[in-house]
Amino acid sequence: MTTHSSTTEVSGEPDRAEDRQGFDEIHILWISEGMSCDGDTVSLTAADQPSIEDLVLGLIPGLPKVNLVNKVLSPSLGGEDFLAPYRAAARGELAPFILVIEGSIPNQNIIEGDGYWTSFGNDPETGEPQTLNWWIDQLAPKAWAVVAAGTCATFGGIHAMAGNPTGCMGLADYLGWDFRSQGALPVVNVPGCPIQPENFMETLIWVLYHAAGSAPPPPLDHMLRPQWLFGKTVHEGCDRGSYYEQGNFAKDYNSPKCLVKTGCWGPVVNCNVPKRGWMAGIGGCPNVGGICIGCTMPGFPDAFMPFMDEPPGGTLSSMIVKPYGAVIRRLRGFTNELVNHEPKWRHNKRKLTSGYDPYWRP
Amino acid sequence: MTTTESRPTGRKPPQLVDMSWDPITRIIGNLGIYTKIDFANREVVECHSTSSLFRGYSVFMKGKDPRDAGFITSRICGICGDNHTTCSDYAQQMAYGVKPPRLAEHIVNLGEAAEYMFDHTIFQDNLVFVDFCEAMVKATNPGVLARAERTDAPRGDIHGYRTIADIMKAFNPFEGEVYKEALKVSRVTREMFCLMEGRHVHPSTLYPGGVGTLPQPTVFTDYLSRLMRVIDFVKKAVAMNDDVFDFFYEALPGYEEVGRRRVLLGCWGAFQDPDVVDYRYENMNAWGKAMYVTPGIVVDGELVTNNLVDINLGLRIMLGSSYYEDWVNEKPFVTHDPLGNPVDMRHPWNQTTVPVPQKRDFDDKYSWVMSPRWYDRRSGDHLALDTGGGPLARLWSTALSGLVDTPYVKATGNSVRISLPKGESLPETTLEWRIPKWSNTIERDRARPYFVAYAAAMALQFLEEAMGLVRAGDTKVFENFEVPDEAIGCGFHEAVRGVLSHHLVIKDKKIANYHPYPPTPWNASPRDKFGTPGPYEDAVQGQPIFEENGPDDFKGVDIMRTVRSFDPCLPCGVHMYVGKGKTLTTLHSPTYGANHG
């Protein structure tokens, strides 16, 4: 079992004759009507560095003015009032905009006759529900950038597990992995179930700096994930990793030790959550006692189920590390005992024994 | 055909306008509202509710390892996924015959208390209250705003705002100071949540059999210090809400009719008592009554039952307007419960979900939501219970039952008393929520901040008990178990917006059947096969319109207030159909500037 955390540059600078002028103003059209739970939108509201209100109120220097359109936060009345910017964008009358998709993309082609898996508003002509797929087909080619928020939108996620009835998939599966937006960017994938709040916010801000003309496109890996966020494994940032190195494994969830033998996939999962925590450095997964179930990964969830069993590769690697770890742990134990003693000259007797010599010369 | 009797009025010839809102904003999930409004008599004549999303959890969970169920079902909901994990773990613990250590129960209770505080705060202050903010009231009832500017806020000494209009201004989206503070408070409370359950919204440290949370003094210290940082905000929120809602009743006589339903409330109980609960079905009535939020069904103000066994056996999943094939001819999974009581074919344990995507037809099938009902043996009715958005049913059932008696929360039989300690700027405070006269929009919304206070108060007790165990060296948080070859289980819990139950059948150590019933199917259900409308439909249908705008610039704020008062949290909707002998005069969708901003 190898860890793939190397990265491949796929998003070069767009071809252009002269320096592109940045945008002063940009819309973010967010659609959570994929097969989603809206958990990525909710996670976004947890971000504090920066926060959603900082972004909307223009408190981040150097960004274009941002008009965020998101169903959960929208002060609008809903219905056509809320859909107006989406309709305008579909007609090509609103540009530039960043399209954010949340949720898995269903396969409408497997439905015979009328019907839909998920819809977003109605077709004004017919009054029938307008499928999510129609909206993506209309908006993605016109979007300056397309961002997939959360594992459902990036790779299909939970709703795309074996036995699912909807045939759903991720956005890049739907649009094609070679898709390029108006701004010459591939789909920007920010996986996580849900997104780690600041991971998403940081990526969005980078895209916005790029839109402002003051930054290159964000560096993405071969799965179109931001390299600086997903280039390391959970294990590489986990405070329990040192238990692993000492061959010291938890047998159940009562233990502060490494959780590999109780179902943690951290050593092979690309994610920075243990390092970053969930909010304000608090929480996370294996670092706070929750097994890593690989929720940021393209293979999620099927490759990691049943979640609470030891990963197949964990048996061998933990067996190899055990004898080494046991020796190292013991040796460290001796040294630890040693450095737990104060030197002998700290006492209250009548004689100073610290080796003090006011006339000492080398 | 409605559950709630209609109101006699001096009728004028109807002036009917078809109005729809799809999607509804400021909720979780997609919801479209389709209504017919009679502007001559200023009331909503008809209303349907429809969901436009199918994902199929019950379908793809079949054959999976049952221990995965808590991790998977969390993904049903993006704002209260942890309620699902908790409920699933309850159901699994019953099936596996395992009881988590006491400290694990406290940690789960603390996590859930933080979830209630976070979720109700962000929903009430950042989503619901936009409908009551100055900008919205100015656009819909300018006369009311003018009056609010002249009206002193009675509880100004607590919340610091001089007039009612000042409070309304503080809730203007993205600009008002309470709106902005609520977002910050919703982060502090989520940090509390993460201390106990690892991550929000899909927890990482919850397992069947207990938790993986490290029960070091530090997590409790970190939790307590954050709780005390927001305790005064909680007191102020209750005062502000009471002021605004009392004012609405005064300024708009008759507003109690908005969103009013017959009192048909269900609550499945929350916060296990670790000393009583053993997760055995045979003892479920006893440990259910020991929960710190009392389960109960309240019909017309009377308590029908507190027994979780009765509640469980009365569940009926009806079809009628939903895009599914019926399963009555399938083989049942569970014919009798562990006590030997017969289990109905329409019970979630016996349900088979077969989706049939089809054209939306408001006269026939128009929703992805099924119609959960509770069978009342006394009358033979299939009751379309609602959750009152969660807090209303929880407080009502708890108050009426009079069973909860703790240092911080006491149920009196007609009210709930909640004591909160001294905070940075406000003294120790005892709040009292009294059973209201109506189950309506305002009372659903008013109950919400009270329940935030309730959760905060209970969290203090759980903290004290948890710290006591930790200091005594009792730090076990997980109990091992074996997955049996065959078993059944059910979990009863309160999701943030109301009743939540999970129903699990295990065969050959695999999931043979799994059906979760969250609150929104109860609230957002379409008409069942008897023609009984679901609670949104019923509450909106027949409600008066107080908005001052006519059909041309109608915003529908009274309808939106009603729908949001239920705290919709799933793709779900409300649809209109044209009833017999009624003709539509115009077709129109309301716009609110319809600008691109």
Side-chain angles (χ1 to χ4, degrees):
Chain A
M1 203 161 49
T2 58
T3 304
H4 191 105
S5 57
S6 67
T7 52
T8 324
E9 185 75 25
V10 291
S11 53
E13 279 288 283
D15 297 335
R16 53 190 191 202
E18 71 286 334
D19 272 358
R20 183 176 56 79
Q21 286 299 301
F23 302 115
D24 297 332
E25 187 169 350
I26 196 162
H27 278 72
I28 297 176
L29 302 184
W30 188 301
I31 297 183
S32 61
E33 271 69 11
M35 299 179 145
S36 87
C37 65
D38 284 11
D40 301 305
T41 292
V42 172
S43 248
L44 174 82
T45 67
D48 200 30
Q49 304 180 102
S51 71
I52 186 75
E53 58 272 29
D54 292 346
L55 179 68
V56 171
L57 297 170
L59 300 182
I60 303 157
L63 292 191
K65 178 177 185 290
V66 171
N67 303 306
L68 172 72
V69 190
N70 169 296
K71 177 197 62 198
V72 176
L73 299 165
S74 169
S76 81
L77 288 161
E80 287 308 311
D81 174 37
F82 166 69
L83 288 172
Y86 298 89
R87 297 238 189 262
R91 289 191 304 265
E93 293 165 13
L94 185 145
F97 68 92
I98 295 172
L99 176 66
V100 180
I101 297 287
E102 178 177 358
S104 333
I105 317 302
N107 186 348
Q108 278 291 124
N109 298 330
I110 59 176
I111 296 180
E112 289 183 20
D114 293 322
Y116 58 93
W117 295 119
T118 171
S119 75
F120 183 54
N122 294 327
D123 182 335
E125 299 294 309
T126 64
E128 297 295 321
Q130 196 121 52
T131 63
L132 168 82
N133 307 61
W134 181 90
W135 283 104
I136 294 175
D137 297 345
Q138 292 298 313
L139 294 176
K142 301 183 178 85
W144 187 80
V146 177
V147 181
T151 301
C152 286
T154 53
F155 310 124
I158 282 274
H159 311 120
M161 76 164 72
N164 82 78
T166 59
C168 60
M169 64 202 88
L171 187 60
D173 300 325
Y174 182 79
L175 290 173
W177 284 81
D178 54 356
F179 168 89
R180 291 293 178 274
S181 68
Q182 288 293 322
L185 292 171
V187 174
V188 178
N189 277 338
V190 188
C193 188
I195 48 173
Q196 200 276 3
E198 263 99 32
N199 277 357
F200 184 82
M201 212 53 173
E202 217 171 63
T203 308
L204 186 64
I205 299 289
W206 189 315
V207 173
L208 287 166
Y209 277 126
H210 180 47
S214 59
L220 307 177
D221 70 8
H222 69 296
M223 293 309 282
L224 308 180
R225 298 169 288 204
Q227 286 176 6
W228 77 99
L229 299 171
F230 295 92
K232 292 195 177 67
T233 64
V234 164
H235 194 64
E236 284 161 351
C238 182
D239 12 5
R240 297 185 182 212
S242 45
Y243 284 104
Y244 184 105
E245 181 234 7
Q246 296 180 158
N248 210 352
F249 299 100
K251 293 183 186 65
D252 67 24
Y253 306 105
N254 282 302
S255 164
K257 297 170 184 171
C258 174
L259 293 169
V260 157
K261 299 194 92 57
T262 56
C264 183
W265 284 79
V268 293
V269 168
N270 299 82
C271 175
N272 63 344
V273 158
K275 192 82 179 155
R276 192 167 210 174
W278 197 257
M279 293 177 69
I282 285 170
C285 302
N287 52 317
V288 294
I291 47 173
C292 170
I293 60 172
C295 80
T296 54
M297 300 298 278
F300 179 74
D302 308 75
F304 306 98
M305 289 162 73
F307 298 127
M308 287 167 72
D309 285 347
E310 183 180 11
T315 320
L316 179 65
S317 55
S318 61
M319 198 173 70
I320 293 169
V321 81
K322 261 192 167 154
Y324 157 86
V327 172
I328 292 291
R329 197 163 76 230
R330 180 151 306 190
L331 293 174
R332 284 177 181 161
F334 292 140
T335 312
N336 177 254
E337 182 62 27
L338 212 61
V339 294
N340 260 306
H341 285 89
E342 288 183 47
K344 56 187 181 301
W345 58 81
R346 295 180 194 160
H347 54 71
N348 200 20
K349 296 179 185 142
R350 297 190 64 92
K351 195 169 175 349
L352 177 66
T353 56
S354 71
Y356 168 68
D357 174 1
Y359 307 108
W360 186 86
R361 297 288 180 277
Chain B
M1 218 169 69
T2 56
T3 314
T4 306
E5 76 280 9
S6 59
R7 306 161 187 88
T9 47
R11 313 292 300 178
K12 297 175 189 159
Q15 178 205 351
L16 292 179
V17 181
D18 212 8
M19 294 222 163
S20 66
W21 294 261
D22 189 353
I24 297 281
T25 48
R26 279 180 281 123
I27 60 160
I28 303 295
N30 1 358
L31 167 61
I33 297 270
Y34 294 65
T35 61
K36 190 196 310 286
I37 297 169
D38 176 352
F39 277 93
N41 295 294
R42 303 201 59 78
E43 72 168 33
V44 184
V45 181
E46 262 172 345
C47 174
H48 277 60
S49 154
T50 177
S51 150
S52 65
L53 168 73
F54 175 78
R55 295 168 305 179
Y57 278 79
S58 299
V59 179
F60 58 66
M61 284 175 73
K62 283 177 189 289
K64 305 292 195 300
D65 190 309
R67 294 170 304 158
D68 290 346
F71 298 93
I72 295 171
T73 53
S74 177
R75 273 74 186 175
I76 289 172
C77 177
I79 193 161
C80 57
D82 59 285
N83 299 145
H84 283 278
T85 309
T86 300
C87 192
S88 177
D89 289 343
Y90 290 170
Q92 290 176 65
Q93 279 146 204
M94 182 181 288
Y96 311 152
V98 62
K99 172 181 162 42
R102 286 187 302 169
L103 185 54
E105 295 289 2
H106 288 308
I107 287 171
V108 172
N109 285 347
L110 284 166
E112 296 303 89
E115 170 68 27
Y116 293 130
M117 291 178 71
F118 141 72
D119 193 331
H120 284 327
T121 298
I122 200 171
F123 186 74
Q124 184 83 347
D125 296 355
N126 301 113
L127 308 180
V128 163
F129 234 86
V130 173
D131 291 333
F132 294 93
C133 78
E134 182 229 19
M136 186 67 81
V137 176
K138 186 189 274 177
T140 52
N141 293 84
V144 171
L145 184 63
R147 183 173 171 157
E149 277 160 355
R150 299 189 306 267
T151 308
D152 283 340
R155 299 168 182 84
D157 57 323
I158 299 170
H159 55 64
Y161 291 100
R162 197 178 61 81
T163 67
I164 299 292
D166 289 340
I167 303 176
M168 291 174 172
K169 281 192 191 92
F171 280 98
N172 280 343
F174 287 106
E175 283 157 14
E177 53 183 353
V178 177
Y179 181 99
K180 285 194 282 196
E181 195 185 353
L183 279 175
K184 288 192 168 64
V185 168
S186 85
R187 287 174 198 133
V188 175
T189 43
R190 270 182 278 190
E191 287 168 19
M192 288 158 59
F193 178 90
C194 290
L195 286 162
M196 297 299 154
E197 301 193 19
R199 345 178 303 156
H200 193 274
V201 59
H202 303 313
S204 58
T205 61
L206 298 191
Y207 303 102
V211 299
T213 313
L214 267 191
Q216 286 176 321
T218 315
V219 288
F220 301 106
T221 309
D222 288 354
Y223 187 103
L224 176 61
S225 55
R226 283 172 174 74
L227 177 59
M228 294 314 294
R229 249 171 42 211
V230 300
I231 208 92
D232 282 353
F233 178 87
V234 173
K235 297 170 193 164
K236 286 178 189 168
V238 170
M240 281 188 279
N241 277 259
D242 274 339
D243 276 353
V244 170
F245 295 139
D246 291 350
F247 167 80
F248 257 79
Y249 282 142
E250 267 170 54
L252 294 168
Y255 212 84
E256 65 274 6
E257 290 301 319
V258 171
R260 189 175 70 78
R261 277 196 93 205
R262 182 182 166 197
V263 180
L264 291 168
L265 295 167
C267 166
W268 298 169
F271 299 141
Q272 303 286 3
D273 181 337
D275 296 325
V276 181
V277 67
D278 63 2
Y279 295 101
R280 287 171 51 80
Y281 188 91
E282 292 81 350
N283 303 329
M284 188 159 71
N285 286 343
W287 52 258
K289 287 194 192 77
M291 284 178 170
Y292 292 113
V293 169
T294 315
I297 288 174
V298 180
V299 175
D300 299 330
E302 300 292 317
L303 185 69
V304 177
T305 180
N306 286 134
N307 290 331
L308 282 178
V309 171
D310 297 342
I311 288 172
N312 179 48
L313 290 171
L315 299 179
R316 297 286 184 275
I317 309 306
M318 315 292 284
L319 296 173
S321 309
S322 319
Y323 306 139
Y324 299 93
E325 212 169 87
D326 204 348
W327 58 88
V328 278
N329 300 323
E330 302 287 330
K331 211 166 140 274
F333 289 95
V334 182
T335 55
H336 292 83
D337 74 356
L339 290 164
N341 302 303
V343 176
D344 195 86
M345 197 59 212
R346 305 220 69 86
H347 189 279
W349 265 332
N350 288 324
Q351 185 182 337
T352 302
T353 299
V354 185
V356 185
Q358 55 195 279
K359 198 178 162 84
R360 187 170 65 193
D361 177 354
F362 303 143
D363 291 336
D364 184 17
K365 308 278 187 285
Y366 60 91
S367 182
W368 274 119
V369 174
M370 296 188 189
S371 304
R373 300 289 183 255
W374 191 73
Y375 179 68
D376 188 348
R377 276 185 315 199
R378 305 169 311 165
S379 60
D381 290 340
H382 289 79
L383 300 175
L385 299 177
D386 73 78
T387 72
L392 186 67
R394 286 198 283 274
L395 292 167
W396 206 309
S397 169
T398 302
L400 208 52
S401 306
L403 294 171
V404 174
D405 184 3
T406 72
Y408 296 100
V409 177
K410 285 185 172 43
T412 67
N414 57 24
S415 72
V416 175
R417 284 200 200 104
I418 303 158
S419 299
L420 296 175
K422 185 163 95 71
E424 206 176 328
S425 59
L426 293 172
E428 185 181 347
T429 307
T430 297
L431 304 163
E432 185 162 19
W433 179 90
R434 291 180 187 80
I435 292 179
K437 282 188 241 171
W438 312 283
S439 168
N440 66 5
T441 296
I442 293 261
E443 297 308 330
R444 277 176 218 117
D445 284 343
R446 184 201 302 271
R448 205 165 285 119
Y450 277 94
F451 197 80
V452 175
Y454 191 113
M458 284 312 307
L460 286 161
Q461 180 190 322
F462 301 140
L463 268 174
E464 285 165 18
E465 294 187 22
M467 293 292 281
L469 290 173
V470 170
R471 288 173 188 138
D474 182 358
T475 56
K476 196 171 180 206
V477 290
F478 177 77
E479 191 63 62
N480 235 325
F481 57 85
E482 282 292 316
V483 177
D485 283 339
E486 291 206 357
I488 59 172
C490 58
F492 286 90
H493 186 34
E494 279 286 309
V496 176
R497 52 261 324 134
V499 300
L500 174 62
S501 59
H502 280 216
H503 306 269
L504 157 74
V505 181
I506 299 173
K507 286 208 164 77
D508 304 328
K509 294 194 189 319
K510 294 272 185 283
I511 294 172
N513 203 13
Y514 200 109
H515 277 93
Y517 269 92
T520 297
W522 286 91
N523 291 331
S525 60
R527 282 153 171 74
D528 60 24
K529 69 168 187 190
F530 303 115
T532 308
Y536 293 176
E537 300 180 329
D538 180 45
V540 171
Q541 211 154 266
Q543 80 164 41
I545 296 294
F546 285 87
E547 181 181 332
E548 293 166 34
N549 301 315
D552 294 336
D553 52 357
F554 187 67
K555 315 270 185 284
V557 72
D558 303 305
I559 296 168
M560 294 301 106
R561 282 175 186 148
T562 293
V563 172
R564 289 197 185 99
S565 72
F566 285 99
D567 198 340
C569 174
L570 252 180
C572 55
V574 183
H575 268 290
M576 267 314 295
Y577 70 84
V578 182
K580 276 196 195 111
K582 292 184 177 161
T583 47
L584 289 181
T585 50
T586 37
L587 272 173
H588 175 78
S589 282
T591 54
Y592 188 44
N595 55 16
H596 297 173

